[in-house]
Amino acid sequence: MKVVIVGAGIGGLTLALFLHKAKISCEVFEAAPAIRPLGAGLNLLPHATTAFSELELLDRLLERGVETSEVHFYTHHGQFVDGEPRGRFAGYDVPQISIHRADLHEVLLSAARERLGDEAVRLGRVCRSVEQDPERVRVNFADPSGAALPSEEGSVVIACDGIHSVVRKQFHPDDSAPIDHGTTCFRGVTRWKPFLDGATMAYVGTYDTGKLVVYPIRNSIDAEGKQLINWVIEVKKPNDGVRDWNRQVSIEACIEPFVDWRFEWLDIASMLRATDEVLQYPMVDRNPLPFWTRGRVTLLGDAAHPMLPRGSNGAAQAILDARLLAELLATKEPLIALKEYEATRLPATADIVLTNRNRSPDEILRIVEERTGGQPFEQISDVISRGELDEWQSRYKRVAGFERERLPQ
Ligand SMILES: Cc1cc2nc3c(=O)[nH]c(=O)nc-3n(C[C@H](O)[C@H](O)[C@H](O)COP(=O)(O)OP(=O)(O)OC[C@H]3O[C@@H](n4cnc5c(N)ncnc54)[C@H](O)[C@@H]3O)c2cc1C
């Protein structure tokens, strides 16, 4: 069996590594002519790091990233609402890791090249369409200028070609454009002194007050012990239709609600101003699809289930797709494997897509700000009970599949 993988993003490379582990031959075809260190930070929750532990990549990821110790929630006054330990600090067998997407991508790409060979990942190959008959499937390619390239045949094709997937479009020509939910996201990475314990992820504020997520993604980047700090701002403002992961804007485009945010645990206003490069991000998702698989072709990761980047599950769910698909292809006839993969992963990820729209973990801050009318509180227990706080966080872990009891030990 030969698997053709379209797209060498997080999902495509993870799939290649799991297929290699299962001794299934595969090749990866990526549209970009060169791999560049793009993006900002992301968080790998324990379901994702369990998968990377099976691929023996945890040490490499920990060398690059930061092992997250806790998650905290603060109001826009900087008042502590809730917090909990994460990863090994919460008794999981595996760490939670905050890492630059480029570092994660580089770890996956170098592992894929080492294990599968230098030729296993082919760059500058833009998938245009797929064609299949009962025996095999063919992918048609062009180069980045649009000139046709030889097509590739395989037993199955897995489309890991991201939110603008051409294979998804071919299967679902009437699918709407990515859906804008009326917010815009800005991201950046800043060289800054460690805050709190140097390993905490903090959610602060709401759309009405200014909403920010901040966490370190690289340790000791200079002689003063600074870290690379990742931040994400979400503001209520429709996207302007540009859906480019690499679009640079000025900090003035997003800093206004944060100019007075100087908390004892972090001077957010100064940290934001010290950022070299601010990226405006595509804060969009798509509705869950009725199907992903047609014969010998299926979708994986953002091609299948693009979700709003809240709750740290975009990359994680692509990683979980990859692990299950490789396991099924190793044990079942390909057509059955692809169908079983869809039957398990489509409903599970559809739940997360919908939950991320209005019940993501940080929405607890909206509830608190509503109850306090946006004013500082004396004691958080006057505003919300311990039980309600715990239930909110447990619900998201349940939907996203990273409750401690459910992960393999
Ligand atoms: C440049 C970039 C930067 C990103 N930065 C962040 C970030 O900072 N934080 C974050 O949370 N998420 C980021 N994401 C999104 C995140 O990587 C995904 O949401 C998640 O990891 C799911 O992975 P995926 O493999 O499904 O999709 P992606 O990681 O988006 O990978 C899709 C891959 O397919 C390739 N591709 C697209 N079309 C074709 C085609 N026609 N033929 C062949 N290949 C094709 C793309 O070039 C890309 O390499 C970024 C994505 C990209 C592409």
Side-chain angles (χ1 to χ4, degrees):
M1 173 163 51
K2 179 182 161 194
V3 179
V4 175
I5 299 173
V6 177
I10 308 302
L13 291 173
T14 306
L15 177 63
L17 289 162
F18 270 113
L19 288 172
H20 172 261
K21 185 166 184 265
K23 303 192 174 13
I24 297 172
S25 144
C26 67
E27 264 185 293
V28 189
F29 296 88
E30 164 60 41
I35 302 287
R36 292 187 294 130
L38 298 172
L42 46 79
N43 235 271
L44 297 172
L45 298 172
H47 48 359
T49 52
T50 300
F52 288 138
S53 140
E54 290 163 17
L55 290 174
E56 296 178 32
L57 291 175
L58 274 190
D59 288 348
R60 296 191 200 190
L61 294 170
L62 283 167
E63 257 169 44
R64 306 286 190 107
V66 174
E67 178 164 2
T68 312
S69 61
E70 297 199 5
V71 173
H72 287 186
F73 296 86
Y74 297 88
T75 67
H76 72 289
H77 301 291
Q79 280 190 296
F80 180 79
V81 168
D82 193 19
E84 61 173 23
R86 282 301 175 99
R88 293 193 283 210
F89 300 93
Y92 286 86
D93 276 0
V94 288
Q96 176 168 326
I97 302 174
S98 302
I99 191 164
H100 200 296
R101 181 189 180 274
D103 287 340
L104 168 62
H105 195 246
E106 215 276 315
V107 165
L108 295 174
L109 183 63
S110 53
R113 286 183 165 148
E114 274 161 40
R115 296 176 192 182
L116 283 79
D118 277 342
E119 296 305 310
V121 181
R122 315 257 297 265
L123 302 179
R125 304 287 294 259
V126 185
C127 165
R128 303 282 289 268
S129 61
V130 292
E131 296 168 49
Q132 57 183 314
D133 60 33
E135 304 303 321
R136 70 220 152 106
V137 52
R138 186 164 59 237
V139 189
N140 299 315
F141 287 106
D143 71 13
S145 75
L149 290 172
S151 46
E152 286 293 328
E153 282 191 1
S155 331
V156 292
V157 170
I158 315 299
C160 309
D161 50 344
I163 188 166
H164 304 297
S165 167
V166 296
V167 180
R168 177 184 176 117
K169 185 83 191 151
Q170 184 180 334
F171 283 8
H172 299 277
D174 299 328
D175 190 22
S176 68
I179 301 169
D180 187 337
H181 297 278
T183 67
T184 298
C185 179
F186 300 88
R187 312 189 72 152
V189 290
T190 311
R191 296 162 180 276
W192 204 251
K193 301 171 286 291
F195 66 93
L196 294 168
D197 64 353
T200 289
M201 174 174 190
Y203 288 87
V204 198
T206 65
Y207 302 120
D208 299 322
T209 61
K211 180 175 168 185
L212 176 122
V213 188
V214 59
Y215 51 90
I217 55 172
R218 219 181 269 164
N219 280 323
S220 306
I221 55 166
D222 63 14
E224 295 165 42
K226 284 196 187 130
Q227 293 176 308
L228 209 53
I229 306 287
N230 181 72
W231 55 262
V232 187
I233 285 173
E234 208 183 325
V235 293
K236 239 186 193 156
K237 166 167 125 183
N239 273 268
D240 53 12
V242 182
R243 300 201 172 92
D244 176 2
W245 287 111
N246 307 310
R247 178 183 182 190
Q248 281 190 45
V249 293
S250 150
I251 189 69
E252 301 309 325
C254 61
I255 199 167
E256 203 270 325
F258 308 94
V259 288
D260 296 324
W261 284 27
R262 296 177 203 285
F263 306 136
E264 62 184 28
W265 53 273
L266 179 61
D267 178 348
I268 288 176
S270 303
M271 183 211 63
L272 293 176
R273 288 239 180 254
T275 308
D276 291 333
E277 189 180 82
V278 178
L279 298 169
Q280 181 168 331
Y281 258 58
M283 195 63 181
V284 290
D285 66 4
R286 287 180 185 268
N287 284 329
L289 288 172
F291 69 90
W292 295 349
T293 300
R294 196 175 260 173
R296 296 178 172 276
V297 183
T298 196
L299 309 174
L300 183 149
D302 279 5
H305 46 70
M307 55 185 69
L308 294 174
R310 301 173 180 148
S312 314
N313 264 282
Q317 296 303 320
I319 292 158
L320 299 189
D321 290 348
R323 179 174 60 183
L324 178 68
L325 185 53
E327 191 182 304
L328 289 168
L329 284 168
T331 48
K332 313 240 161 161
E333 196 272 320
L335 296 182
I336 294 172
L338 265 49
K339 273 290 176 200
E340 283 194 17
Y341 156 76
E342 173 188 300
T344 306
R345 294 297 299 156
L346 194 155
T349 51
D351 271 357
I352 308 170
V353 170
L354 300 177
T355 301
N356 278 7
R357 289 182 181 170
N358 50 25
R359 298 186 76 84
S360 59
D362 51 309
E363 278 289 294
I364 195 69
L365 292 169
R366 186 183 46 76
I367 295 172
V368 169
E369 299 256 8
E370 272 170 17
R371 291 183 191 173
T372 57
Q375 297 303 311
F377 53 75
E378 294 268 314
Q379 306 232 21
I380 188 61
S381 55
D382 299 337
V383 181
I384 190 164
S385 69
R386 182 70 261 152
E388 206 178 338
L389 288 167
D390 288 344
E391 175 49 25
W392 193 269
Q393 298 310 325
S394 313
R395 190 187 304 120
Y396 193 76
K397 288 189 190 122
R398 217 162 34 239
V399 171
F402 67 101
E403 296 157 293
R404 186 153 55 92
E405 316 70 64
R406 274 180 51 192
L407 293 182
Q409 297 298 301

